[in-house]
Amino acid sequence: MALSEQDLLAKVPTQLYINGKWVDGHGEGQIEVEDPATGKTLLTIANANAADGLAALSAADETQKIWSRVAPRERGEILRRAFELVKERSEEFATLISLEMGKPIAEARGEVAYGNEFLRWFSEEAVRISGRYGTSPEGTGRMLVAQRPVGPAFAITPWNFPLAMATRKIGPAIAAGCTMVVKPAELTPLTTLLLVKTLEEAGLPAGVVNVITTSTSAATSGPIIADPRLRKITFTGSTQVGRKLLEQSAQQVLRTSMELGGNAPFLVFEDADVEAAVAGAMLAKMRNIGQACTAANRFIVHESVAEEFANQLAAKMGALKLGRGLDADTTCGPVINEKARENMQRLVDATVAEGGSVVVGGEAGDGDGYFFKPTVIQGVKPGSTILREEIFGPIAPIVHFKTEEEAIALANDTEYGLVSYAFTKDLKRGLRLIESLDTGMTGLNTGLVSNAAAPFGGVKQSGLGREGGFEGINEYLETKYVMTPDPFL
Ligand code: NAD
């Protein structure tokens, strides 16, 4: 039988997790985690200060050597057990995600399935770390190349996918033999706390993963990043914060993985199946209430199908039911907080002032939560404010184009380069687009690219490195090369 909300919240740890123990934080006061659909407090949890952060790093550092020598199979099996436990408890995880983040329960279930795949995928990758052995070209030596865990890592995650953003980092770190300090976002830390409790039950030894929750991210993270014991930082969040962390990382020349912001173009050509494009647009725009780095941010639509596309999209967007994620008929939750809602209104007003016209939505929704109506804006002028910023909410601005060249130029006119989407039935055009769009990922005739088996990541100011796929574990490994003389000489 499903747990009540209260019973579920009672299962969530509210302390820091350092060296296998749940301990109090020493920061000022505590953190109140809020339900964005009601504005009410769900749970009050520990607040770490800089000393707590360093204690977590000490635990990770002291465990690193021991953990790196644990057999890959054993590391993989811990991850596999955790995968099975999360699967068994998927309804609990989905409910918690929906409660603290606001997404509809069906989407939260989708996140659990997606996020949990990283535990399974990396449980399988743990035993595939390998190297090579060969004769040097001149024949006088032997060359060995091995992969070693990079060392204690610091993971900082955002609030929008509370489970998946954590497993995408914790999974490969455990598989590679790295220890970690994890700092989830202060807005949605509960899922990470429940996940780590689950990893503990799956047999993860003390000190391998340590979790700090804090309301003072910069002050608590700074000393960890400046500490020479740390060897790696892995961050998912905004480009603005990513830049700061890169600057700080330069002091200790840390290995860095940066999954940053996006400004995804969504191209619809005159030869596209418009109905399929609209279905793809709903996924690419409305997944997570538009609060995804992969969210379609700019709809770039051929002028001959622009009206048809806008009307069909507006009909679907307008039919979404705003409400609390846990209500069965809700198809669109709130944005994360009041600031985000105000930002939606600012963007709509600016776009209208710059010549766009609202087809549907365009204003806040009713109720106590931070609701904003799903919005479509047609005839947006190139250069408009909304096309330059990451919207991070349920607004779809539509720009028109005449030629393929113009569409590509519009799509690439951004400092971001995470993902692009393109709808066309012409295979040659599809291939031209793949080669011309400056993004780390492209969805060709689909609005969803995320998959644990695929290398997720961006180019330009959307980041450095890849998460998931065969590439994902490399972010936690370093190459060690050995030369030794020919044993026969
Ligand atoms: P954010 O950058 O505000 O915060 C991300 C994390 O960094 C949080 O844990 C926050 O507490 C922490 N943080 C903030 N300032 C810090 C500092 N000075 N030092 C250390 N830590 C600090 O981002 P957000 O609002 O939580 O998330 C939304 C952003 O994340 C969007 O830009 C989105 O595109 C991006 N994102 C990217 C990906 C990706 O894979 N590329 C995935 C999800 C989200």
Side-chain angles (χ1 to χ4, degrees):
M1 209 181 80
L3 282 179
S4 70
E5 279 171 39
Q6 233 111 35
D7 289 345
L8 170 61
L9 289 172
K11 282 181 83 169
V12 178
T14 56
Q15 290 172 294
L16 314 178
Y17 186 63
I18 299 178
N19 210 14
K21 296 200 170 62
W22 295 97
V23 297
D24 289 335
H26 299 89
E28 217 169 285
Q30 292 202 302
I31 303 173
E32 289 195 359
V33 182
E34 184 179 273
D35 176 346
T38 60
K40 297 209 176 91
T41 301
L42 291 168
L43 269 184
T44 302
I45 64 165
N47 192 12
N49 66 5
D52 297 320
L54 288 174
L57 176 61
S58 296
D61 180 52
E62 281 154 23
T63 314
Q64 178 58 58
K65 241 193 212 122
I66 310 162
W67 182 238
S68 67
R69 291 188 187 135
V70 168
R73 176 70 73 202
E74 201 175 322
R75 300 199 301 258
E77 280 174 359
I78 291 169
L79 281 173
R80 178 70 198 207
R81 280 197 296 276
F83 165 79
E84 299 294 348
L85 287 172
V86 172
K87 195 167 153 199
E88 263 169 38
R89 299 169 190 173
S90 41
E91 204 51 28
E92 288 174 31
F93 275 98
T95 305
L96 190 59
I97 290 171
S98 181
L99 275 174
E100 65 173 338
M101 189 271 156
K103 71 183 77 176
I105 186 72
E107 276 196 53
R109 289 183 186 122
E111 181 182 341
V112 176
Y114 166 60
N116 203 17
E117 270 311 314
F118 288 98
L119 300 182
R120 174 154 66 177
W121 176 262
F122 287 107
S123 78
E124 293 158 350
E125 288 297 282
V127 292
R128 316 226 183 286
I129 301 165
S130 64
R132 59 183 200 266
Y133 177 81
T135 303
S136 63
E138 66 288 356
T140 55
R142 294 293 180 270
M143 302 165 81
L144 286 85
V145 180
Q147 301 294 331
R148 306 276 314 135
V150 66
F154 183 26
I156 302 180
T157 57
W159 52 264
N160 60 345
F161 289 93
L163 182 75
M165 296 302 99
T167 52
R168 218 160 72 160
K169 298 182 186 305
I170 294 173
I174 289 178
C178 271
T179 61
M180 235 184 188
V181 176
V182 182
K183 191 207 85 58
E186 54 273 43
L187 291 168
T188 61
L190 304 181
T191 306
T192 303
L193 291 167
L194 190 63
L195 171 68
V196 170
K197 189 177 168 195
T198 309
L199 282 164
E200 191 182 29
E201 284 175 55
L204 190 71
V208 176
V209 174
N210 306 275
V211 182
I212 51 166
T213 48
T214 180
S215 64
T216 52
S217 296
T220 303
S221 303
I224 300 176
I225 302 167
D227 193 301
R229 292 173 297 174
L230 187 73
R231 291 314 316 140
K232 156 103 196 171
I233 181 160
T234 170
F235 172 73
T236 299
S238 61
T239 297
Q240 194 191 5
V241 173
R243 274 194 210 102
K244 280 192 208 154
L245 296 174
L246 279 168
E247 270 176 35
Q248 289 173 261
S249 304
Q251 297 311 311
Q252 301 291 338
V253 193
L254 294 180
R255 277 277 298 278
T256 55
S257 302
M258 294 279 146
E259 296 287 351
L260 308 179
N263 182 354
F266 187 107
L267 286 75
V268 184
F269 286 87
E270 62 274 30
D271 56 23
D273 173 342
V274 174
E275 215 169 289
V278 170
M282 288 302 290
L283 261 180
K285 178 74 249 181
M286 293 309 295
R287 181 170 177 235
N288 232 33
I289 315 141
Q291 303 167 116
C293 53
T294 50
N297 213 58
R298 296 170 292 149
F299 289 88
I300 301 172
V301 184
H302 191 269
E303 57 179 13
S304 65
V305 290
E307 201 176 327
E308 188 188 351
F309 177 81
N311 291 341
Q312 284 194 30
L313 184 63
K316 285 213 170 358
M317 293 279 270
L320 292 175
K321 166 103 182 35
L322 283 169
R324 191 171 189 233
L326 289 183
D327 297 343
D329 59 346
T330 294
T331 45
C332 182
V335 291
I336 191 70
N337 55 22
E338 184 54 32
K339 206 170 125 206
R341 182 162 65 172
E342 282 167 15
N343 196 37
M344 294 307 110
Q345 196 64 62
R346 176 186 68 84
L347 285 170
V348 169
D349 295 347
T351 314
V352 170
E354 288 163 345
S357 41
V358 172
V359 188
V360 73
E363 58 185 14
D366 302 327
D368 293 334
Y370 310 117
F371 296 105
F372 197 84
K373 292 184 181 164
T375 300
V376 176
I377 312 181
Q378 172 71 301
V380 175
K381 303 285 172 282
S384 293
T385 312
I386 197 164
L387 305 177
R388 307 242 149 249
E389 297 183 23
E390 193 176 22
I391 300 170
F392 237 59
I395 308 175
I398 302 177
V399 193
H400 305 169
F401 72 88
K402 286 190 173 67
T403 66
E404 184 181 309
E405 262 183 354
E406 191 190 346
I408 292 168
L410 280 168
N412 287 339
D413 183 20
T414 169
E415 69 270 29
Y416 295 103
L418 189 62
V419 61
S420 49
Y421 304 91
F423 278 74
T424 175
K425 283 188 194 151
D426 179 339
L427 177 63
K428 276 173 84 176
R429 168 176 278 156
L431 294 174
R432 280 197 300 276
L433 292 171
I434 292 170
E435 293 185 22
S436 309
L437 294 169
D438 296 335
T439 52
M441 305 177 283
T442 295
L444 186 58
N445 294 317
T446 177
L448 185 69
V449 295
S450 302
N451 193 304
F456 187 105
V459 298
K460 293 159 79 179
Q461 294 190 32
S462 286
L464 299 166
R466 294 294 180 269
E467 290 190 321
F470 302 122
E471 292 80 357
I473 202 163
N474 293 335
E475 302 286 320
Y476 298 88
L477 292 170
E478 246 170 356
T479 299
K480 168 95 183 201
Y481 150 67
V482 179
M483 171 61 100
T484 190
D486 186 316
F488 297 101
L489 290 179

